[in-house]
Amino acid sequence: MFTLPKGGLALAGLDEQLLQPGVKGLPITEPLRQGAIGVQDWNVLHADTSFPVALLKSSALRHNLGWMRDFCARYGAVLAPHGKTTMCPQLFGAQLANGAWGMTLATAGQVQVAHRFGVRRVLLANQLVARSDINGVLALMHDDPDFDFYALADSPSGVARLASAVAGHPLARPLPLLVELGLPGKRAGCRTLEEAMAVARAIAAAPGLQLAGIEGYEGLLVTNDREADLRAVDAFLGQLVQLVRQCDAEKLFGGAQVLLSAGGSSYFDLVARGLRGVSGISRPVTTILRSGCYLTSDHGLYERHIADLNAREAAADGLRPALEVWSMVQSRPEPTLAILTMGKRDASYDVDLPTALYSHRPGPGKPADLPPGCSIVKMNDQHAYLRLPEGDAICATLAVGDLVGCGISHPCTTFDKWPLLLAVDDGYHVQYAVNTFFQ
Amino acid sequence: MFTLPKGGLALAGLDEQLLQPGVKGLPITEPLRQGAIGVQDWNVLHADTSFPVALLKSSALRHNLGWMRDFCARYGAVLAPHGKTTMCPQLFGAQLANGAWGMTLATAGQVQVAHRFGVRRVLLANQLVARSDINGVLALMHDDPDFDFYALADSPSGVARLASAVAGHPLARPLPLLVELGLPGKRAGCRTLEEAMAVARAIAAAPGLQLAGIEGYEGLLVTNDREADLRAVDAFLGQLVQLVRQCDAEKLFGGAQVLLSAGGSSYFDLVARGLRGVSGISRPVTTILRSGCYLTSDHGLYERHIADLNAREAAADGLRPALEVWSMVQSRPEPTLAILTMGKRDASYDVDLPTALYSHRPGPGKPADLPPGCSIVKMNDQHAYLRLPEGDAICATLAVGDLVGCGISHPCTTFDKWPLLLAVDDGYHVQYAVNTFFQ
């Protein structure tokens, strides 16, 4: 009843596993079968769980899955959501069941994890370099003819490494690669069209490799100047299309279609519009968006970006924050200070500190909104410092044992702190657990 | 042969577990028994592992274990190293085998994990507040008469919660508590001696509770002004002793001895000296240091603190950095930029970014020292940006596929990114694996 759609993934084993006392968020003193969590009748607002606890709001997840499915359909794009955000097989399954074309991943290890749970189409948004990484992926391709795998390349030497590995480990099908176009001063990727063309030609010329498409990541263009960003993204998308045209003109592409991929979580609407209907190419072009953070959004970085995106899209009901971390007041040592049982091990701190949203005295009723001046000002490994404004009634009564619900900024760096998260309904009743594999 | 001393812990099961492909650092394409890692003949410098990989240098670990054992013996203090740093049962075992009195931990969940592996004496350096946390610890005490457990209290309301829980869950022995003395503007703990005495009296008066000692954490006094810090630490230690005297005068202590605990990883020498030989108390005083980071030190925050500590101690051969993260050059997109396969998911970034120490082209030979101007200037979730100085010969030849070895700053926030770390000898030959449980 309370589960996510599986999208063809093999997830039953996760609910069969016995969870041991000590798993963050669980109040158990004896081992518990994960699948039995939904019938424990735990409510976070009654402090039935342990704290801190990471929560996924089911209604927001459902809304975001459907929103993104509709968005992609509207623009004729497909979605390979970046799985590194959550590394959660149950969420991968829900994304695939909601129409995702495949999963994007960041490392060969992540690919191995996703494949183990049944993901059968992966775009690795990096160049494979280490011998162990190349061998690992080639072993999956060799053992599983249905495994549809794509990776990036950004240098002739990288292509040579892959060509040499494939020659030593022959496959029944070529290894499909996308040339990564980068940005001056930014991360990986060719810096000029000339460099990118050299890589494309090297791929097309190498036995065992195939030029499958072109990739870029406009998310690195995010600055504090939104207007400048939009111009820079448009220019970059133009370069990606130009690269597609040039490779097509030189007949370098080897697949039945051309894959054209960009789109992080801030500007994927610009990508969807900018890459829509690329015409005049000798084979169909599939535009692949890769947002990972759309699924949970947040109460910080992505909330700000999504608000802008909603304005650009004239979307009244955009993506909703789905991820919260709840903790308990452990100490009230000073009138304007509460110490919470939540630290750097529990919530993101790389972009912003968590946002204090609600307080609640364990028991019936709804959580109270915390006032704007009430904020997390510091975190240690296992503690957060909640500064309370003077004179606010809610803050004045906040006591040891009360609950504080926080939103986070940047889902990727919160998911990776939680091997297990609990899905809750809008009344914070626990429905089921999901697992992450940041191993 | 290549193992850590076990300290009486039940660790065999860890080496029996089957590791799946995808575990960070492991180059496996088939499941592998953990205990077989030492006979794989992997050498990091030959790129036999996967990258990134987190390494523990065995010789430095051994040195640090012995150094700290001798240090404590010299000052007549005992060590309850903070286990939250590593959450690694194998390292707990080595610490206990090297004379540690017990383990310090930060959360009830961590206590459950440590107890599961056989740790039988724990100082929980926090107040238990959540019902699930209190129940979890009381269940351990109830089921295991040999489990010697201590926790903190810093408010009469916290004491009342514990007294009420113990009354509803009677134990054959009292729950021993240490009063936490805090610091104005800092974390938990009573702000004045008067408040602390009120908590001490509440504990002494509560059936089922016992006042076992006094606790403080001078590590919160660390600023950029070392001289001012030293004065502040001394003053704080004086307050701790005063609190012990006052509780003793009022006959509030209930145990056979008085536990007096302070000492993080920066100023534990000041604590050892300042709390040595507290006299005139009606029962023996045991001084418990709690440093967690001494075990691996680092190449950043603690390296700086340890250098100062060595100067204060006139110690020529102090603690050594034992933790490194190695990654591979994934891209060389610009003459002064290398992109590494290591990101926020792999190495600390909360105090300093990692320090680039060495480069090495996979194969025989020793790694080369990177020049000082060669530094990590940014990290994304899965990438690091290594800025290369112009004109340096090593940097000019750094190529895709080369290895880069980094030191980290703040072990706690690197350990928690690695479920498995590999121990290596001084030639980077892999000896065995250890596990962390940040669950």
Side-chain angles (χ1 to χ4, degrees):
Chain A
M1 179 181 179
F2 297 128
T3 49
L4 291 161
K6 291 189 166 43
L9 300 197
L11 305 174
L14 293 171
D15 268 353
E16 289 309 314
Q17 66 185 322
L18 272 187
L19 301 170
Q20 299 296 325
V23 174
K24 289 201 297 182
L26 297 188
I28 58 176
T29 55
E30 301 289 337
L32 178 71
R33 199 177 62 84
Q34 181 169 311
I37 283 177
V39 297
Q40 302 300 307
D41 199 23
W42 290 335
N43 192 302
V44 176
L45 299 183
H46 294 192
D48 292 331
T49 60
S50 174
F51 296 90
V53 61
L55 305 179
L56 290 169
K57 301 187 93 163
S58 295
S59 60
L61 281 183
R62 267 197 308 273
H63 170 84
N64 295 345
L65 286 163
W67 189 98
M68 193 57 141
R69 184 191 58 219
D70 296 347
F71 176 90
C72 289
R74 193 154 66 245
Y75 285 99
V78 301
L79 181 68
H82 211 319
K84 64 129 187 181
T85 296
T86 72
M87 281 310 289
C88 172
Q90 292 97 335
L91 294 177
F92 292 179
Q95 292 174 309
L96 294 167
N98 278 275
W101 173 85
M103 297 301 302
T104 296
L105 292 162
T107 71
Q110 291 176 359
V111 174
Q112 288 171 309
V113 169
H115 185 271
R116 187 159 83 242
F117 287 102
V119 174
R120 288 299 173 261
R121 186 182 280 145
V122 166
L123 171 55
L124 177 68
N126 275 310
Q127 182 168 261
L128 283 163
V129 177
R131 187 172 74 238
S132 64
D133 290 348
I134 297 173
N135 289 348
V137 164
L138 293 184
L140 292 181
M141 290 181 72
H142 186 269
D143 295 346
D144 180 359
D146 293 331
F147 183 48
D148 201 11
F149 176 83
Y150 305 84
L152 307 187
D154 78 348
S155 65
S157 71
V159 172
R161 290 173 85 92
L162 288 169
S164 154
V166 168
H169 197 297
L171 294 166
R173 57 196 192 282
L175 174 64
L177 299 175
L178 287 72
V179 173
E180 179 168 25
L181 186 66
L183 291 155
K186 305 293 180 185
R187 210 161 65 188
C190 302
R191 293 309 196 240
T192 64
L193 288 178
E194 292 65 37
E195 283 173 42
M197 284 306 297
V199 176
R201 290 181 197 117
I203 295 170
L209 305 182
Q210 182 186 73
L211 183 67
I214 302 299
E215 187 270 358
Y217 177 46
E218 81 298 332
L220 298 165
L221 291 167
V222 173
T223 67
N224 289 326
D225 181 346
R226 200 53 44 93
E227 289 306 312
D229 288 1
L230 302 189
R231 286 192 300 273
V233 170
D234 273 346
F236 183 57
L237 296 173
Q239 288 185 299
L240 290 174
V241 172
Q242 199 183 337
L243 187 54
V244 169
R245 293 195 188 290
Q246 211 163 328
C247 289
D248 190 55
E250 291 193 25
K251 298 188 174 25
L252 301 178
F253 288 119
Q257 57 186 336
V258 172
L259 305 185
L260 176 53
S261 179
S265 296
S266 301
Y267 292 143
F268 62 81
D269 61 318
L270 303 178
V271 173
R273 262 184 273 134
L275 298 184
R276 176 161 54 169
V278 175
S279 61
I281 308 296
S282 66
R283 51 196 90 194
V285 176
T286 299
T287 299
I288 307 171
L289 307 181
R290 302 196 306 275
S291 169
C293 295
Y294 83 91
L295 183 56
T296 64
S297 187
D298 66 20
H299 289 87
L301 177 65
Y302 289 107
E303 183 174 59
R304 301 189 288 271
H305 281 294
I306 296 298
D308 291 348
L309 189 152
N310 287 341
R312 292 192 296 266
E313 287 287 296
D317 191 17
L319 297 167
R320 300 176 190 167
L323 178 53
E324 296 175 3
V325 179
W326 283 66
S327 61
M328 198 172 250
V329 176
Q330 179 171 52
S331 185
R332 279 286 279 111
E334 299 179 10
T336 62
L337 180 65
I339 303 298
L340 308 180
T341 60
M342 170 184 90
K344 292 181 195 168
R345 260 90 184 258
D346 310 302
S348 306
Y349 55 91
D350 57 326
V351 179
D352 309 285
L353 294 177
T355 302
L357 300 172
Y358 313 113
S359 73
H360 185 70
R361 184 143 307 160
K366 286 191 170 183
D369 290 340
L370 284 167
C374 179
S375 62
I376 308 273
V377 293
K378 180 180 176 143
M379 287 205 292
N380 295 150
D381 292 349
Q382 314 273 170
H383 299 87
Y385 298 63
L386 180 67
R387 186 58 64 188
L388 306 169
E390 286 182 74
D392 177 81
I394 293 170
C395 292
T397 58
L398 193 71
V400 169
D402 285 352
L403 302 175
V404 173
C406 287
I408 57 93
S409 181
H410 194 190
C412 305
T413 48
T414 293
F415 271 105
D416 63 13
K417 302 182 198 306
W418 291 90
L420 184 138
L421 296 91
L422 298 178
V424 294
D425 67 17
D426 289 349
Y428 290 90
H429 198 263
V430 175
Q431 299 172 305
Y432 55 88
V434 300
N435 308 94
T436 69
F437 289 83
F438 292 96
Q439 50 185 20
Chain B
M1 178 182 181
F2 296 128
T3 48
L4 291 161
K6 291 191 167 42
L9 300 197
L11 306 174
L14 293 171
D15 268 354
E16 290 308 314
Q17 66 184 324
L18 272 187
L19 301 169
Q20 299 295 326
V23 174
K24 289 201 298 182
L26 296 188
I28 58 176
T29 56
E30 301 289 336
L32 177 71
R33 197 177 63 84
Q34 180 168 311
I37 283 177
V39 296
Q40 303 299 308
D41 198 22
W42 290 335
N43 191 304
V44 177
L45 299 182
H46 294 192
D48 293 330
T49 60
S50 174
F51 296 89
V53 62
L55 305 178
L56 291 170
K57 301 187 92 163
S58 295
S59 59
L61 281 184
R62 266 197 309 273
H63 171 83
N64 295 345
L65 286 163
W67 189 98
M68 193 56 140
R69 184 192 55 219
D70 296 347
F71 176 90
C72 289
R74 193 155 66 245
Y75 285 99
V78 301
L79 182 67
H82 211 319
K84 63 127 188 186
T85 296
T86 71
M87 281 311 290
C88 172
Q90 291 98 335
L91 294 177
F92 293 178
Q95 292 174 309
L96 293 167
N98 278 277
W101 174 86
M103 297 301 301
T104 297
L105 292 162
T107 71
Q110 292 176 357
V111 175
Q112 288 171 310
V113 170
H115 186 271
R116 188 159 82 242
F117 287 101
V119 174
R120 288 297 173 263
R121 187 182 280 143
V122 165
L123 170 55
L124 177 67
N126 274 310
Q127 181 168 263
L128 283 163
V129 177
R131 188 173 71 236
S132 63
D133 290 348
I134 298 173
N135 289 347
V137 164
L138 293 185
L140 293 180
M141 290 182 71
H142 186 268
D143 295 348
D144 179 358
D146 293 331
F147 184 46
D148 200 11
F149 176 83
Y150 304 84
L152 307 187
D154 77 348
S155 64
S157 71
V159 173
R161 289 173 86 92
L162 288 169
S164 153
V166 169
H169 197 298
L171 295 165
R173 58 198 193 281
L175 173 64
L177 299 174
L178 286 72
V179 173
E180 179 169 24
L181 187 67
L183 291 154
K186 304 293 180 185
R187 210 160 67 188
C190 301
R191 293 309 196 241
T192 64
L193 288 179
E194 292 66 37
E195 283 173 40
M197 285 305 298
V199 176
R201 290 182 197 116
I203 295 169
L209 306 182
Q210 181 185 73
L211 183 67
I214 302 297
E215 187 269 358
Y217 178 46
E218 82 298 332
L220 298 165
L221 290 167
V222 173
T223 67
N224 290 326
D225 181 346
R226 199 53 43 93
E227 289 306 313
D229 288 2
L230 302 190
R231 286 193 300 274
V233 170
D234 273 345
F236 182 56
L237 297 173
Q239 287 185 299
L240 290 174
V241 172
Q242 199 182 335
L243 187 53
V244 168
R245 293 197 188 290
Q246 210 162 329
C247 288
D248 190 57
E250 291 193 24
K251 301 187 172 24
L252 301 179
F253 289 119
Q257 57 187 337
V258 172
L259 305 184
L260 176 54
S261 178
S265 295
S266 302
Y267 292 142
F268 62 81
D269 61 319
L270 303 179
V271 173
R273 261 183 275 133
L275 298 183
R276 177 161 53 169
V278 174
S279 62
I281 308 296
S282 65
R283 53 196 89 196
V285 176
T286 299
T287 299
I288 307 172
L289 307 181
R290 300 197 307 274
S291 170
C293 296
Y294 82 92
L295 184 57
T296 64
S297 187
D298 65 21
H299 289 87
L301 176 66
Y302 289 106
E303 183 174 58
R304 301 190 288 272
H305 281 294
I306 296 298
D308 292 347
L309 189 152
N310 286 340
R312 291 192 297 264
E313 286 287 296
D317 191 17
L319 297 168
R320 299 176 189 166
L323 178 54
E324 295 176 2
V325 178
W326 283 65
S327 61
M328 198 171 250
V329 177
Q330 179 171 53
S331 185
R332 279 287 277 114
E334 299 178 10
T336 61
L337 180 64
I339 303 297
L340 308 180
T341 60
M342 171 185 86
K344 293 182 197 169
R345 260 90 182 260
D346 309 304
S348 306
Y349 56 91
D350 57 327
V351 179
D352 309 287
L353 293 177
T355 302
L357 299 172
Y358 315 112
S359 72
H360 185 71
R361 184 143 306 159
K366 285 192 172 184
D369 289 341
L370 284 167
C374 179
S375 63
I376 308 274
V377 293
K378 180 180 172 141
M379 287 206 291
N380 295 150
D381 292 348
Q382 312 273 172
H383 299 86
Y385 297 64
L386 180 67
R387 185 59 64 187
L388 307 169
E390 285 183 74
D392 177 80
I394 293 170
C395 292
T397 58
L398 193 72
V400 169
D402 284 352
L403 302 176
V404 173
C406 287
I408 58 93
S409 181
H410 194 191
C412 305
T413 48
T414 293
F415 272 105
D416 63 13
K417 303 182 198 307
W418 291 90
L420 183 138
L421 296 93
L422 298 178
V424 295
D425 66 19
D426 289 348
Y428 290 91
H429 198 263
V430 175
Q431 299 172 304
Y432 55 88
V434 301
N435 308 93
T436 70
F437 289 82
F438 292 95
Q439 51 185 19

